[in-house]
Amino acid sequence: FFFSDSLQDQFDNLEKHTQWGIDVLEKYIKFVKERTEIELSYAKQLRNLSKKYQPKKNSKEEEEYRYTSTRAFLATLNEMNDYAGQHEVISENMTSLITGELTRYVQELKQERKSHFHDGRKAQQHIETCWKQLEASKRRFERDCKEADRAQQYFEKMDADINVTKADVEKARQQAQLRHQMAEDSKAEYSSTLQKFNSEQHEHYYTHIPNIFQKIQEMEERRIVRIGESMKTFAEVDRQVIPIIGKCLDEITKAAESVDHKNDSQMVIEAFKSGFEPPGDIDFEDFTQPMKRTVSESSLSNSRGDGKSEPKFGSKSKGKLWPFIKKNKLMSLLTSPHQPPPPPPASASPSAVPNGPQSPKQQKEPLSHRFNEFMTSKPKIHCFRSLKRGGAGPEDFSNLPPEQRRKKLQQKVDELNRDIQKEMDQRDALTKMKDVYIKNPQMGDAASVDHRLAELGQNIEKLRLEVQKFE
């Protein structure tokens, strides 16, 4: 019974330890669940971040993504979206391979643990019952032996007493024999019970309990192995997506390496190239002698006609001023000491030849002409701003600088040529249909397509006239 008490202590310790093992398993499941929630939250934040910086459809932002640097940024956003997807995969795999599996395993483990300790308690109760039966049999044998001794002593006393009748002596003898027989029976029962108990006890301590302990040990070892495998899976799930995440990062690196500063600079040049010719050199104006002054002033008005000098601010077409010269700088150049200032009417010499090249009227024309050029070319100076705004301009794109105007006109010509090709394709198709109807009248009326052919012909002619106009 002492060993039984010690064994009960061991069962209590094992119950506490195995329950702690289940608690550890459930704690690990909770840890993995929280990790999956973090992965999902991180993936969602990455997707939202990628979406936030995506260019809006049909907006100015979309035009900005034609440069290699902005295209690389767009590729980075797309790869970050795929990157987020891999974190969703981590969450899904951890949920299915770890938390889902371990949750089911914990339920099975609890049932198995309950069964083993139930068997242990049952075995313990059985051996305790056997022990109680042995104790009862032993006490009964002891009591019967004492009773037999008392009966024997009583018989011997009665037999030695001469005053007792033979009948009383015989009765005492029979009682003593009966008690001896009862003692013998109790002894046999006690012996049988003891033998049975020893056998049960041997089975209990050497077979049943070791088997139960072995099952509990195997159960506990399976739990330990399972949590170790789950930790390994935890790492493997993460490791499996590393190659894909690596590809995402490789694509980002590849996009970054595709950034071409020369190409982007050239695109900016092509986009904003104006086609204006830089202004020519300013001629030296000598004001030391009045005659030279008047002659130099007249050279301004004659510079276009005599072919000896180029206009200073104007190109071949009227109004095409160099766009980077601001109005105040232009006026300062026009009125600088290097340019002939407009003389007041009172300063005109009476001896000047009327309508001659040195007359005040002729002197004032170059400045007026240049100022008029500046005023007429003002919309062209601000053409970049109008381009940026994307505002509507005249049909001939005259509000644009020469190079940009050429590009727009060429785009218009190309667009009209594509429209012409579409109309011609339709006309060819209808012509073939008409030929089929002529050869096979039962398939349709050939005259039914004439009206449409005529419309197509008119459309093509109109489009060709438009092409000529824009060319």
Side-chain angles (χ1 to χ4, degrees), residues 80-98:
M80 288 307 296
N81 205 45
D82 295 341
Y83 187 97
Q86 295 312 307
H87 285 277
E88 291 172 343
V89 169
I90 290 175
S91 176
E92 292 169 4
N93 289 343
M94 285 187 175
T95 299
S96 61
L97 299 177
I98 300 178

Side-chain angles (χ1 to χ4, degrees), residues 15 53 63 85 94 110 121 135 142 145 181 201 213 238 249-250 255 266 271 292 342 352-353 362 387 400 410 439:
E15 276 192 309
Y53 285 93
E63 296 179 6
M94 285 187 175
K110 287 180 178 179
R121 281 190 294 270
E135 284 292 305
E142 182 182 10
C145 286
Q181 185 62 43
Q201 182 176 251
F213 281 171
D238 219 331
L249 299 178
D250 290 342
Q266 190 60 36
K292 289 183 180 181
V353 180
Q362 290 294 333
L387 273 175
L400 300 177
Q410 185 61 50
K439 294 177 182 178

Side-chain angles (χ1 to χ4, degrees), residues 174-404:
Q174 289 178 358
Q175 187 67 27
Q177 287 179 349
L178 178 63
R179 290 296 177 182
H180 277 293
Q181 185 62 43
M182 289 177 65
E184 289 295 328
D185 292 342
S186 297
K187 180 181 179 181
E189 183 185 353
Y190 170 62
S191 177
S192 175
T193 304
L194 179 61
Q195 186 177 2
K196 182 181 177 182
F197 175 78
N198 287 334
S199 176
E200 291 286 349
Q201 182 176 251
H202 187 277
E203 288 289 324
H204 179 78
Y205 285 103
Y206 290 94
T207 303
H208 296 317
I209 294 302
N211 286 342
I212 293 171
F213 281 171
Q214 182 66 28
K215 290 177 181 178
I216 293 173
Q217 180 179 343
E218 290 173 357
M219 176 192 73
E220 183 66 7
E221 288 175 354
R222 283 199 305 273
R223 179 194 67 80
I224 296 169
V225 169
R226 194 65 176 267
I227 197 170
E229 290 175 346
S230 297
M231 290 177 180
K232 185 178 179 182
T233 303
F234 182 85
E236 286 300 321
V237 166
D238 219 331
R239 185 176 287 111
Q240 284 173 0
V241 302
I242 288 177
I244 303 175
I245 289 177
K247 288 182 181 178
C248 293
L249 299 178
D250 290 342
E251 289 298 321
I252 293 174
T253 303
K254 183 178 178 182
E257 291 172 348
S258 71
V259 174
D260 187 347
H261 58 286
K262 294 292 185 183
N263 179 77
D264 287 3
S265 297
Q266 190 60 36
M267 290 178 71
V268 174
I269 291 169
E270 292 297 325
F272 299 111
K273 184 165 61 175
S274 66
F276 288 125
E277 294 181 4
D281 295 338
I282 304 296
D283 292 340
F284 176 77
E285 301 292 340
D286 190 357
F287 295 97
T288 56
Q289 297 180 8
M291 287 301 293
K292 289 183 180 181
R293 176 182 175 184
T294 54
V295 169
S296 63
E297 286 176 351
S298 66
S299 66
L300 287 174
S301 61
N302 295 331
S303 61
R304 292 180 180 270
D306 57 16
K308 292 181 180 179
S309 62
E310 290 295 327
K312 305 303 179 291
F313 293 98
S315 63
K316 292 182 180 180
S317 59
K318 183 179 180 181
K320 298 296 188 290
L321 293 177
W322 181 243
F324 300 108
I325 300 179
K326 303 296 183 183
K327 180 178 178 182
N328 56 356
K329 185 175 182 183
L330 178 64
M331 294 306 295
S332 67
L333 285 172
L334 292 175
T335 58
S336 66
H338 300 289
Q339 294 293 334
S347 66
S349 173
S351 63
V353 180
N355 299 326
Q358 289 84 17
S359 67
K361 184 178 181 181
Q362 290 294 333
Q363 291 173 359
K364 197 171 183 177
E365 280 180 356
L367 292 176
S368 171
H369 176 65
R370 290 194 175 191
F371 185 71
N372 288 335
E373 280 187 344
F374 169 76
M375 295 303 292
T376 56
S377 64
K378 187 174 183 181
K380 297 172 182 58
I381 293 174
H382 298 283
C383 62
F384 297 138
R385 193 177 301 168
S386 66
L387 273 175
K388 187 175 181 181
R389 287 195 305 265
E395 185 183 17
D396 62 352
F397 306 108
S398 58
N399 63 316
L400 300 177
E403 183 62 23
Q404 300 303 318

Side-chain angles (χ1 to χ4, degrees), residues 26-45 84-103 230 233-235 237-238:
E26 290 180 332
K27 184 187 292 186
Y28 183 72
I29 292 171
K30 186 179 179 183
F31 160 74
V32 177
K33 279 183 179 179
E34 291 187 11
R35 164 74 190 276
T36 59
E37 291 169 2
I38 290 172
E39 292 292 341
L40 282 178
S41 176
Y42 182 48
K44 183 179 180 182
Q45 291 178 31
Q86 295 312 307
H87 285 277
E88 291 172 343
V89 169
I90 290 175
S91 176
E92 292 169 4
N93 289 343
M94 285 187 175
T95 299
S96 61
L97 299 177
I98 300 178
T99 58
E101 291 293 328
L102 284 185
T103 300
S230 297
T233 303
F234 182 85
V237 166
D238 219 331

Side-chain angles (χ1 to χ4, degrees), residues 432-449:
K432 290 179 181 179
M433 185 184 294
K434 182 178 179 180
D435 293 340
V436 172
Y437 289 167
I438 291 173
K439 294 177 182 178
N440 301 286
Q442 69 275 10
M443 295 183 68
D445 183 10
S448 63
V449 298

